[in-house]
Amino acid sequence: MTRILLFLCAALVVVALIGLAVTATARAVQDSRDLARDIAVAPRRTLMEKISFAALMLLMLGVTSGLLGGL
């Protein structure tokens, strides 16, 4: 009788773990779809954003190479 009870408890734990894994996978798939949809609908960058991004890259390159304010 104890073995049957132990087997049933183990089976319930396995079923619970499988349910948890399926739920987590389904939630991850839904979140990734929502994120992909948001990225696809994102507006294009304006000209000012592109220029400021390029200026930031040049500034970072100058600082790290030592040409601007380095030793």
Side-chain angles (χ1 to χ4, degrees), residues 29-47:
V29 168
Q30 183 63 34
D31 288 345
S32 65
R33 284 181 186 163
D34 292 341
L35 182 63
R37 188 177 305 120
D38 291 343
I39 290 173
V41 181
R44 293 197 171 267
R45 294 186 177 180
T46 63
L47 180 62

Side-chain angles (χ1 to χ4, degrees), residues 18-32:
I18 290 172
L20 181 69
V22 168
T23 303
T25 304
R27 185 172 293 164
V29 168
Q30 183 63 34
D31 288 345
S32 65

Side-chain angles (χ1 to χ4, degrees), residues 1 6 8 17 31-32 39 42 57 61 71:
M1 184 68 175
L6 184 62
L8 287 176
L17 288 174
D31 288 345
S32 65
I39 290 173
M57 286 297 175
L61 178 66
L71 297 174

